[in-house]
């Protein structure tokens, strides 16, 4: 069976997001029930791998894993954090969300605030939005001149290469939702008083610029994918598939790290004898 990371990975060359069916389920045969059963079966594996990374970090290891989530509004970034990342031990988890930069953050280079929220050794870090906002949203809304945001592709590639060289495994997911599905999800928020707090009129402003966002994302995904920091396009119209796919991606990347339980720095038998001798 082909690896999900290979199936969903952005290939070299031009990328056409509008040519990718957001309701498709590449790499998975079956429906929602089968996917949920698979999620339950794989939850323990994901949790064990993340705990091995955490244990490694507690005993001096330097490695970490960073999951970057990007996508249009309602594509499921928060849902992925809850349903996928929520399967692991929170002690080894760091989740960061990135909105518009604050006045203080604007005084610094665009990567300054990102560097301050990276996962520590042994941690699984998750970015709900990320430094890619500074070449997508900034471009679409013309918040900076072209000569400014166009230089950021190379800056991001250097930054991610630096992270990878330092021991951070980077997994980037573009959660690909269709305009029709986004419309349904936005209407659901408006129809449910318990979800009004999740609705932002600015989401409709962004929706009006859908094609511009797709063009900006296509350029970002094409120009900032590499062996060290690959982009994956995850069809996200079906929430159950999105959750299954991101779970599989994490498991595959964790497994590539060849994690092991750390060897103890003490004599196990001696400590057992000591314990048994105690009242």
């Amino acid at each position: 069976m082909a690896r999900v990371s290979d199936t969903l990975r952005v290939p070299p060359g031009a990328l056409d997001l509008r040519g990718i069916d957001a309701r498709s389920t590449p790499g998975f045969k079956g429906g929602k029930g089968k996917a949920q059963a698979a999620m339950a079966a794989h939850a323990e594996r994901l949790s064990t791998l993340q705990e091995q990374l955490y244990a490694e970090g507690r005993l001096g290891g330097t490695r970490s894993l960073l999951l970057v989530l990007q996508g249009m509004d309602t594509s499921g970034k928060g849902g992925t954090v809850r349903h996928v990342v929520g399967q692991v031990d929170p002690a080894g988890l760091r989740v960061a969300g990135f909105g518009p930069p604050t006045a203080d953050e604007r005084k610094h280079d665009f990567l300054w605030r990102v560097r301050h929220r990276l996962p520590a050794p042994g941690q699984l870090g998750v970015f709900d939005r990320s430094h890619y906002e500074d070449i997508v949203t900034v471009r679409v809304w013309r918040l900076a001149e072209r000569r400014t945001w166009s230089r950021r592709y190379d800056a991001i590639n250097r930054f991610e290469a630096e992270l990878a060289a330092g021991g951070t495994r980077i997994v980037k997911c573009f959660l690909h939702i269709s305009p029709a599905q986004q419309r349904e999800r936005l209407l659901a928020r408006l129809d449910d008083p318990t979800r009004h707090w999740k609705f932002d009129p600015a989401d409709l402003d962004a929706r009006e610029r859908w094609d511009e966002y797709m063009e900006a994302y296509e350029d970002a995904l094409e120009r900032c994918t590499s062996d060290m920091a690959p982009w994956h396009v995850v069809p996200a119209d079906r929430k159950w598939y999105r959750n299954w796919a991101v779970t599989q991606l994490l498991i595959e990347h964790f497994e590539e790290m060849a994690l092991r339980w750390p060897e103890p720095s003490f004599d196990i038998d001696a400590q057992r004898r000591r314990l048994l001798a105690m009242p």
Side-chain angles (χ1 to χ4, degrees), residues 1-278:
M1 182 181 295
R3 287 157 36 88
V4 175
S5 54
D6 295 331
T7 301
L8 299 182
R9 183 168 174 168
V10 171
L15 175 65
D16 178 15
L17 287 173
R18 283 153 288 197
I20 299 175
D21 183 0
R23 286 187 61 79
S24 62
T25 60
F28 186 82
K29 293 182 179 179
K32 182 177 180 179
K34 185 177 178 181
Q36 290 175 333
M39 282 282 289
H42 294 149
E44 184 175 354
R45 178 61 177 157
L46 177 60
S47 179
T48 296
L49 289 164
Q50 184 261 348
E51 188 178 0
Q52 287 179 318
L53 177 65
Y54 181 56
E56 179 182 283
R58 287 289 300 272
L59 295 181
T62 60
R63 297 190 296 175
S64 60
L65 190 147
L66 174 62
L67 173 65
V68 176
L69 300 173
Q70 287 286 157
M72 296 294 285
D73 299 306
T74 77
S75 61
K77 297 177 290 295
T80 301
V81 173
R82 287 192 300 276
H83 298 293
V84 176
V85 183
Q87 300 175 102
V88 307
D89 184 349
L93 179 65
R94 185 178 193 188
V95 179
F98 293 92
T102 65
D104 184 50
E105 289 169 344
R106 284 195 293 270
K107 296 176 183 177
H108 302 272
D109 174 82
F110 78 103
L111 290 171
W112 178 82
R113 63 175 183 163
V114 177
R115 291 182 182 276
H116 282 73
R117 306 185 77 177
L118 290 169
Q123 286 187 329
L124 166 60
V126 184
F127 282 177
D128 180 344
R129 301 188 187 273
S130 67
H131 40 296
Y132 283 91
E133 293 295 312
D134 293 284
I135 51 172
V136 173
T137 300
V138 166
R139 169 179 170 171
V140 171
W141 292 99
R142 298 165 179 78
L143 301 177
E145 295 181 358
R146 182 183 184 89
R147 63 181 181 180
T148 297
W149 57 257
S150 63
R151 290 196 296 264
R152 292 176 176 173
Y153 297 109
D154 289 338
I156 286 174
N157 286 333
R158 290 192 299 270
F159 168 64
E160 292 179 348
E162 172 192 329
L163 292 184
T168 299
R169 185 93 178 188
I170 305 170
V171 184
K172 299 181 294 191
C173 295
F174 176 73
L175 305 182
H176 181 44
I177 189 174
S178 66
Q181 182 63 29
Q182 189 201 53
R183 182 176 185 273
E184 288 186 19
R185 293 181 186 179
L186 289 173
L187 283 172
R189 290 181 180 181
L190 289 171
D191 292 342
D192 184 352
T194 68
R195 301 174 70 189
H196 286 171
W197 66 275
K198 297 185 70 175
F199 185 87
D200 185 344
D203 295 347
L204 300 186
D205 298 332
R207 181 177 169 84
E208 289 180 331
R209 301 194 179 194
W210 190 278
D211 288 343
E212 292 180 66
Y213 268 100
M214 291 301 101
E215 182 179 352
Y217 270 120
E218 286 166 353
D219 283 350
L221 271 59
E222 287 174 17
R223 298 181 62 175
C224 296
T225 193
S226 67
D227 290 340
M228 295 178 294
W231 268 110
H232 305 84
V233 177
V234 179
D237 272 14
R238 302 178 193 267
K239 296 178 182 180
W240 56 265
Y241 174 78
R242 176 202 70 206
N243 294 338
W244 175 86
V246 177
T247 297
Q248 289 300 115
L249 284 170
L250 285 175
I251 288 175
E252 290 176 4
H253 281 274
F254 269 131
E255 288 180 338
E256 285 186 358
M257 296 173 73
L259 295 160
R260 299 288 186 272
W261 293 113
E263 292 294 328
S265 59
F266 52 86
D267 186 322
I268 295 175
D269 290 335
Q271 295 303 314
R272 181 181 289 110
R273 289 193 298 269
R274 181 185 176 195
L275 177 60
L276 292 174
M278 292 179 176

